Amino acid sequence: MRTLRARYALAGEGLELLEGVEVVLEGGRVVDIYETSKKTSEVLVMPALVNAHAHLGDCAFPERWLSEGLSEIVDPRRGLKRRALEGADVAEAVEHGMKVSRAAGAFGVADFREGGAEGLREALRAGEPGYMPFGRVEREEELGEVLRLSHGLGLPEPGFPTPELAERAARAFKEAGKPVGLHLAEARREPAEEALRLGADFVVHGCFLDWEDLEELKRAGVALAVCVRSNMWFRLPPKLPEALEAGLKVMLGTDNCTFHKPDLWRELEAASLVLRRSGLYSEALARELLKAATVNAQEPLKVPWRIPLEKGSDGPLLVMDSRMLGLSRAKNKYSAVVRRGGPEALVEVLNAPGKPLIKSGRPAHPGGDGSGEGEDKRGQEDR
Ligand SMILES: [Zn+2]
């Protein structure tokens, strides 16, 4: 058992800011959290970040194609990236991407993995805890294998590789209780109907969704993963102000690692700039941005641990240096976390996930199902 006395905490699903708290941890869970008048450490304890959209395989080729356009690079059938991935060490790229993500406080990453079943096997060789692969089906006969190896379905476009196969894959994932996500309306108009037809849990980008589409997604309970830095890099308009105004459940992602390191703190700052530019930024919206980087991912991504800091939670928690965030002096404290958070302020992680969520694509050892692979280190930090 361990008791952490923190000056600040972001607690519950609403990330309520508490001052002077004791968090009691035991066996990888929060067993109690209450306010205290005892002396506390100058730290903020909060849920770990969840990156709702990344392509970690791209860590194999950072800072390439500085002047090429979006479709030239990422077209899922003919793009420059598809060819580059063929010769890449994907396991090493995923390992690197997860290492950078964790150093920046993200302990769950939804990776839209390219290359069908083989692409999943390559990535899973890295055996990274917190890695959530969203696979895609390239050929009909691999549907079962992609379903088995994926945390969720991650379509590069609504009808990939064909509208019929995309629909069958989505149905299979839904039946298996796995989440379904897709890129939608990133570079051109595509109606919300495309996502609804597939029963999607979330869509990514949505730069060219109109107001009716946003309302339709909200009515259907479909979340939107926004990647502001990626959109700006490709000179596309991030749909963040409108999505927040429409009341959609918003999540944040860092998208292609070729162009952006998977650091959600930078994404949070960029998001604040986008909102400020639209004349909307406020302390209340800073709080919404923090939810977008943490608790909002719970349902749409089916994150396998309980994210909010509350009794019973088994999710990873960040202990941040509150002095480095300027928190005691900041008038708007949510805004301080959003705009001054960063890897340099992360002093400790509690309940970090210790073993991969999805088993490696390697054949199981004879006589076993491979479930003994990787020691469960969960909870070790709090002993
Ligand atoms: Zn993407």
Side-chain angles (χ1 to χ4, degrees):
M1 192 169 84
R2 173 169 170 197
T3 302
L4 178 82
R5 288 199 192 103
R7 180 154 177 197
Y8 300 101
L10 294 178
E13 285 196 51
L15 299 183
E16 193 190 342
L17 180 71
L18 304 178
E19 291 202 28
V21 291
E22 286 192 27
V23 183
V24 186
L25 301 139
E26 193 173 8
R29 267 176 204 283
V30 175
V31 293
D32 215 347
I33 172 166
Y34 44 84
E35 292 183 62
T36 182
S37 52
K38 289 184 190 154
K39 188 172 164 42
T40 53
S41 311
E42 286 291 337
V43 294
L44 162 76
V45 54
M46 61 176 283
L49 309 181
V50 179
N51 188 341
H53 185 69
H55 298 269
L56 295 185
D58 296 17
C59 286
F61 30 86
E63 306 307 323
R64 206 136 134 191
W65 311 307
L66 295 186
S67 51
E68 284 83 347
L70 176 68
S71 63
E72 199 181 348
I73 299 166
V74 303
D75 182 292
R77 295 173 187 85
R78 292 170 296 273
L80 293 164
K81 193 181 124 168
R82 181 163 180 133
R83 267 176 278 150
L85 274 171
E86 277 163 20
D89 186 339
V90 170
E92 192 180 64
V94 167
E95 198 182 321
H96 174 83
M98 287 302 296
K99 196 171 167 186
V100 174
S101 298
R102 284 193 296 265
F107 281 73
V109 179
D111 184 40
F112 271 39
R113 187 74 270 273
E114 301 84 354
E118 181 50 30
L120 286 158
R121 276 191 289 269
E122 286 175 333
L124 290 170
R125 254 171 233 133
E128 286 291 330
Y131 178 68
M132 299 188 289
F134 281 70
R136 60 181 68 160
V137 179
E138 298 258 349
R139 291 170 292 110
E140 181 153 10
E141 53 277 22
E142 65 176 7
L143 171 54
E145 185 70 347
V146 169
L147 175 63
R148 185 177 77 80
L149 295 173
S150 298
H151 178 84
L153 180 66
L155 297 173
E157 49 190 43
F160 184 86
T162 63
E164 298 71 34
L165 193 44
E167 254 177 73
R168 282 190 41 210
R171 215 176 311 130
F173 272 73
K174 298 297 282 181
E175 277 165 18
K178 295 191 175 195
V180 170
L182 65 145
H183 290 97
L184 186 73
E186 181 182 10
R188 62 181 169 279
R189 188 157 149 55
E190 280 170 330
E193 173 51 31
E194 300 267 19
L196 304 189
R197 193 167 44 81
L198 295 164
D201 297 281
F202 66 100
V203 299
V204 182
H205 297 306
C207 302
F208 291 93
L209 292 175
D210 60 27
W211 186 256
E212 286 69 34
D213 290 316
L214 293 174
E215 287 191 320
E216 217 172 312
L217 291 177
K218 181 180 155 56
R219 269 198 301 276
V222 180
L224 177 68
V226 179
C227 309
V228 287
R229 290 183 303 163
S230 174
N231 296 158
M232 289 192 290
W233 178 264
F234 289 115
R235 293 183 281 175
L236 300 166
K239 210 61 184 176
L240 183 62
E242 298 86 347
L244 288 171
E245 231 178 313
L248 274 186
K249 181 171 274 189
V250 172
M251 307 185 286
L252 289 182
T254 57
D255 209 9
N256 301 96
C257 289
T258 298
F259 309 106
H260 300 100
K261 69 165 177 157
D263 178 344
L264 275 177
W265 294 114
R266 289 197 179 187
E267 206 63 35
L268 279 163
E269 184 181 17
S272 78
L273 295 171
V274 166
L275 292 178
R276 166 86 187 157
R277 200 180 157 174
S278 324
L280 289 174
Y281 189 63
S282 66
E283 176 72 341
L285 284 190
R287 185 171 178 171
E288 291 307 312
L289 291 181
L290 283 175
K291 286 188 205 165
T294 55
V295 293
N296 284 3
Q298 187 85 65
E299 303 302 328
L301 301 186
K302 295 194 168 43
V303 175
W305 54 77
R306 184 79 190 136
I307 299 173
L309 167 55
E310 62 190 13
K311 218 163 154 173
S313 269
D314 59 347
L317 300 170
L318 308 183
V319 182
M320 308 284 290
D321 183 330
S322 56
R323 272 190 285 235
M324 210 168 258
L325 301 173
L327 221 46
S328 67
R329 292 189 300 279
K331 180 160 166 46
N332 295 295
K333 293 189 171 18
Y334 288 103
S335 185
V337 181
V338 164
R339 296 173 41 77
R340 284 152 212 273
E344 73 284 356
L346 180 59
V347 290
E348 195 185 350
V349 181
L350 307 169
N351 296 344
K355 65 176 181 184
L357 302 168
I358 307 254
K359 269 179 281 176
S360 130
R362 280 172 297 188
H365 295 301
D369 63 359
S371 59
E373 276 177 42
E375 195 199 344
D376 187 355
K377 295 193 191 74
R378 177 175 286 259
Q380 236 173 44
E381 290 81 358
D382 60 27
R383 262 177 241 133

